[in-house]
Amino acid sequence: MLKIGHYEFHSRLLLGTGKFPNFEIQKQAVDVSESQILTFAVRRMNIFEASQPNFLSMLDVSQFTLLPNTAGAKTAEEAVRIAKLAKASGLCDMIKVEVIGDERTLLPDPIETLKASEMLLAEGFIVLPYTSDDVLLAKRLQDLGVHAIMPGASPIGTGQGIVNPLNLSFIIEQATVPVIVDAGIGAPSDAALAMEMGADGVLLNTAVSGAKDPVKMALAMKLAIEAGRAGYEAGRIPKKRYASASSPMEGFSRV
Ligand SMILES: CC(=O)[C@@H](O)[C@H](O)COP(=O)(O)O
């Protein structure tokens, strides 16, 4: 079970809702992914205008936890304003804090992210900050009392996979709250690796929405995350420098 604040989920795949070819494909992808948490940018979703097309209107929203995110915010104050708007719409008391500090890399601004997280915790939100793979920042956020940490595997939409596995392993090692690897996942093997490393979940969007067959890729990501988690729980064998026979000969009679 993935536990975030007072929420519990059996799925460890968090799915973004942007850039799908159309709502029908998106719905099918969401269905096969069996994801229970869908994230969306409050500023891009027409949540307050019933007449406008809105992906959420295609879903039985009672089956999902909708995780609003503060995409588009450049400052802590903007992020807090967006989070409050989302809460006012009655969707969820969880918020993914996304404060972007640089337009080209879309990397999060560490100082504004920390500030926004502190302000949102004080307002009673369940706070999930999207961070870089900075080990100390993850620790500082955790010490503030955030409910999960979401380090990027690589910049949003790049599909580069986990570019700094060492940092990610340090973040996971020291974590006292769930670690959700967020952004930059390109292939199912990236998601499986994150889970094998001990991440508690994976948030992804572009790898599915931009795939040639988004529905099949959603299924592949679901299976990869399940396989990675099972592998982590099973405990992989240590890597060795030299070979050891898979069928040892000790105890066998000579013929
Ligand atoms: C949807 C969302 O929250 C994105 O900002 C997220 O970080 C996913 O990134 P990818 O599109 O790289 O999977």
Side-chain angles (χ1 to χ4, degrees), residues 99-163:
V99 187
I100 298 301
D102 173 56
E103 280 311 311
R104 201 154 74 102
T105 59
L106 294 181
L107 287 171
D109 182 319
I111 298 171
E112 295 300 309
T113 300
L114 196 78
K115 219 164 102 183
S117 297
E118 190 165 21
M119 290 159 82
L120 288 164
L121 285 168
E123 296 276 348
F125 282 87
I126 307 262
V127 179
L128 292 77
Y130 163 58
T131 78
S132 62
D133 55 18
D134 185 293
V135 184
L136 270 298
L137 176 62
K139 188 162 168 11
R140 291 287 297 269
L141 285 163
Q142 186 174 284
D143 292 347
L144 271 185
V146 300
H147 299 83
I149 306 168
M150 308 183 88
S154 49
I156 297 172
T158 61
Q160 291 205 33
I162 302 170
V163 290

Side-chain angles (χ1 to χ4, degrees), residues 72-84:
K74 293 192 175 122
T75 64
E77 288 72 23
E78 269 184 282
V80 171
R81 195 168 48 76
I82 295 170
K84 284 183 174 171

